[in-house]
Amino acid sequence: MFARGVEEAVHLKLSEEFGEHYSLSFSRVFEQYVTELAAETGKPHLTEAEYKANIGGDAPSVEVIFDGDDCNVFVEAKMSLFADDVLLQDNQNAAYTKTKRVREGIGQGWRVGRLLRETAQFGNRFHKAQDFLLVVTSRELILGSGEMLQRLYEPDKFDYPDAEAAARMPLTNVFVLSIEDYECLVGCMRAGEVDISVLLKKSSEANKDGATARLFFSDFLKEYTNKWTQPTLVTKARNEAEERMLEVFENMGEQPNA
């Protein structure tokens, strides 16, 4: 947890220092990381590149589409300049403005769901009753579900594009989670502790009741695991960094005294 706190502090400092330039340059790295983590699960999925090869490069898209048992699970990465005051808004207009990127991600999920079903190349692969969406953010926003997000706004400020989208992917099927919670989910899937279809259906039902809804996605995961696992990508990067540090220290030790 200390390491994660340091990482977030560095991210916020760079955001403050370089603003949108930092956000735009790091966004692609963040999206690629989210995609690579999906591959770690070993579960059937479609990447954005594969999706666009069939639908077209300009089509609305998400980073990853998991093949659930009887549902589609979309993963959309949203790296942005989410400041601390996003988490503490009691002003509806300010909350609406500052969560624009999250709303965009939800809109992408609705459009992707329609396009998947209209594209002949995919056949019936994605013709499933329900879609779920994980909006993975670069820091914890404490937003919970799409329905909780909607409650922050003025009435009728954010709604479904049509009845089909509302039936296919209601806002209770949308989860806004931090990259850390997404890493935990990937670890649970890789270990075989979680069936993502079962988890999301159960969590969506919980989100329909204020007494059982949760602000943190990790709260839904806790009943499936007693230990969070670190992604192999993070472990590999850390080991390589430690090896480089050791090499530097060893070389320093070989230098003659000045």
Side-chain angles (χ1 to χ4, degrees):
M1 292 303 293
F2 173 76
R4 175 62 63 182
V6 171
E7 290 170 8
E8 184 161 305
V10 171
H11 166 62
L12 290 177
K13 182 63 176 177
L14 290 172
S15 298
E16 293 169 0
E17 187 74 20
F18 300 106
E20 288 294 335
H21 180 71
Y22 165 71
S23 176
L24 290 172
S25 62
F26 189 68
S27 179
R28 179 53 60 183
V29 176
F30 184 67
E31 292 167 2
Q32 183 63 33
Y33 177 58
V34 167
T35 301
E36 290 175 356
L37 283 176
E40 279 197 19
T41 67
K43 307 301 180 184
H45 67 278
L46 189 73
T47 66
E48 181 181 20
E50 294 166 335
Y51 163 89
K52 286 192 171 183
N54 286 278
I55 290 186
D58 296 328
S61 63
V62 292
E63 264 63 67
V64 176
I65 303 169
F66 281 109
D67 290 88
D69 294 335
D70 53 2
C71 62
N72 304 310
V73 180
F74 307 148
V75 181
E76 171 62 11
K78 284 302 178 190
M79 158 71 200
S80 191
L81 304 181
F82 298 116
D84 287 334
D85 58 356
V86 174
L87 318 179
L88 304 170
Q89 286 297 332
D90 59 2
N91 180 290
Q92 291 175 318
N93 289 330
Y96 184 82
T97 300
K98 292 179 180 294
T99 53
K100 176 184 177 183
R101 293 282 285 160
V102 178
R103 285 198 315 281
E104 289 175 348
I106 298 173
Q108 286 168 238
W110 283 325
R111 291 191 291 273
V112 167
R114 175 176 54 80
L115 287 170
L116 284 172
R117 292 165 172 85
E118 293 176 349
T119 303
Q121 290 94 316
F122 293 127
N124 294 324
R125 178 179 176 183
F126 299 107
H127 286 207
K128 299 171 184 176
Q130 281 191 297
D131 293 339
F132 291 89
L133 172 66
L134 305 178
V135 181
V136 182
T137 58
S138 49
R139 66 173 306 198
E140 180 61 73
L141 300 183
I142 320 179
L143 291 175
S145 71
E147 186 176 56
M148 292 181 186
L149 178 70
Q150 187 185 45
R151 291 176 192 165
L152 295 177
Y153 306 150
E154 294 179 358
D156 302 322
K157 192 75 171 178
F158 177 56
D159 208 346
Y160 300 99
D162 52 53
E164 183 183 359
R168 192 174 60 236
M169 195 179 86
L171 287 171
T172 50
N173 282 19
V174 175
F175 302 87
V176 184
L177 63 157
S178 68
I179 183 61
E180 183 176 20
D181 277 2
Y182 179 65
E183 290 170 344
C184 292
L185 171 63
V186 165
C188 289
M189 291 174 67
R190 188 179 69 237
E193 296 174 320
V194 164
D195 180 319
I196 194 168
S197 303
V198 174
L199 169 67
L200 295 183
K201 288 176 188 175
K202 187 174 181 180
S203 302
S204 177
E205 283 299 314
N207 279 340
K208 295 176 181 178
D209 185 338
T212 54
R214 295 291 180 265
L215 289 172
F216 300 99
F217 189 78
S218 55
D219 288 336
F220 291 125
L221 277 174
K222 285 178 181 177
E223 65 177 275
Y224 296 92
T225 185
N226 293 317
K227 181 180 179 182
W228 302 125
T229 59
Q230 189 176 68
T232 56
L233 286 170
V234 174
T235 302
K236 182 174 182 291
R238 179 170 294 174
N239 290 341
E240 289 175 350
E242 290 175 354
E243 289 174 3
R244 288 194 298 269
M245 290 175 63
L246 286 172
E247 185 177 347
V248 169
F249 291 144
E250 288 172 358
N251 290 337
M252 289 175 61
E254 294 173 0
Q255 297 296 322
N257 295 329

